[in-house]
Amino acid sequence: MSTTSTKRTVIVAAVDDTPAADEVLRTTLAAARGFDASEVHFINVAEPPIVGELQLVRLGTLVDEGRELLARIADRAREEYAGRVEGHLAVDLAPTGILQLATDLEADLIVVGTHNKRRLQRLVLGSVARAVVDRAHCAVLVARAPDYPTSNAPAIEPACHRCVEVQRASGGARLWCEEHSRRSLTPHLHYRVAQPFAVGSGLLRPTGSGL
């Protein structure tokens, strides 16, 4: 007797009316395509203002805006994804609303956005993403568009431009430039000494491998 699996993969994605929502949408659909029977649940959270007549009017506006946003996001998602797509609106603190929906649906994955460091955004602030990561009972994926530095940063060195050129030219088949892929008895080592403790952090690349 054959049986049909009823396993569902539930993805909860938090969206707001900011540019970050585009990256959340893209990342969410990419994740959904990687699992069988995935269903995507977008949530927008209208955070309640301080109690008062004007504040209550503002909350009503936020709710209306949230409904319109969810309709737009869901329509865009359905154009690119054939699986189940739903929209949910919550009136709550942003992390609590997101986590409550994830709990109610027994989500397998939560997708949240994070702000551009040069611009604050109302819902998908870094603090919201951090709160969700800290309190979630499932995996959390933080969606962010690639924005690698072109100059030295205090903690992370910029990519070797020759390695990047090789990766682009080969479509990822090759990862390292000639200098960084030379065979030797010593693995390729990046290190930086943290003064004054002489403790370094490094990345080891086995020589001659694709790692």
Side-chain angles (χ1 to χ4, degrees), residues 30-58:
R33 296 186 190 103
F35 299 96
D36 293 332
S38 291
E39 52 188 73
V40 176
H41 296 262
F42 293 102
I43 180 170
N44 176 260
V45 182
E47 293 191 299
I50 299 172
V51 176
E53 184 176 353
L54 293 178
Q55 287 83 356
L56 290 176
V57 171
R58 176 59 180 159

Side-chain angles (χ1 to χ4, degrees), residues 23-96:
E23 192 62 26
V24 170
L25 175 62
R26 187 192 70 80
T27 302
T28 299
L29 296 186
R33 296 186 190 103
F35 299 96
D36 293 332
S38 291
E39 52 188 73
V40 176
H41 296 262
F42 293 102
I43 180 170
N44 176 260
V45 182
E47 293 191 299
I50 299 172
V51 176
E53 184 176 353
L54 293 178
Q55 287 83 356
L56 290 176
V57 171
R58 176 59 180 159
L59 177 59
T61 300
L62 292 176
V63 168
D64 291 341
E65 292 174 349
R67 289 196 180 102
E68 294 176 2
L69 170 68
L70 288 169
R72 294 198 307 271
I73 292 289
D75 286 345
R76 289 175 57 189
R78 292 182 183 114
E79 291 176 357
E80 303 179 36
Y81 182 65
R84 181 178 181 182
V85 175
E86 301 285 349
H88 304 263
L89 183 65
V91 177
D92 210 329
L93 297 177
T96 303

Side-chain angles (χ1 to χ4, degrees), residues 139-156:
V140 179
L141 180 58
V142 179
R144 171 179 282 172
D147 184 23
Y148 293 104
T150 56
S151 60
N152 284 329
I156 305 298

Side-chain angles (χ1 to χ4, degrees), residues 8 23 40 46 64 76 81 87 104 109 133 141 143 166 182 185 204:
R8 48 198 277 261
E23 192 62 26
V40 176
D64 291 341
R76 289 175 57 189
Y81 182 65
D104 292 342
L109 175 67
V133 170
L141 180 58
V166 168
R182 287 176 185 158
L185 296 177
L204 287 172

Side-chain angles (χ1 to χ4, degrees), residues 196-210:
F197 303 103
V199 177
S201 63
L203 169 67
L204 287 172
R205 294 181 188 144
T207 302
S209 75

Side-chain angles (χ1 to χ4, degrees), residues 80-154:
E80 303 179 36
Y81 182 65
R84 181 178 181 182
V85 175
E86 301 285 349
H88 304 263
L89 183 65
V91 177
D92 210 329
L93 297 177
T96 303
I98 295 165
L99 291 166
Q100 186 61 62
L101 179 64
T103 299
D104 292 342
L105 299 177
E106 294 189 324
D108 299 282
L109 175 67
I110 300 172
V111 182
V112 292
T114 187
H115 66 83
N116 183 313
K117 294 179 181 178
R118 296 174 295 276
R119 178 179 61 245
L120 289 179
Q121 298 172 345
R122 186 179 59 82
L123 170 62
V124 287
L125 290 174
S127 59
V128 173
R130 287 194 296 271
V132 171
V133 170
D134 289 344
R135 295 166 53 191
H137 295 283
C138 65
V140 179
L141 180 58
V142 179
R144 171 179 282 172
D147 184 23
Y148 293 104
T150 56
S151 60
N152 284 329

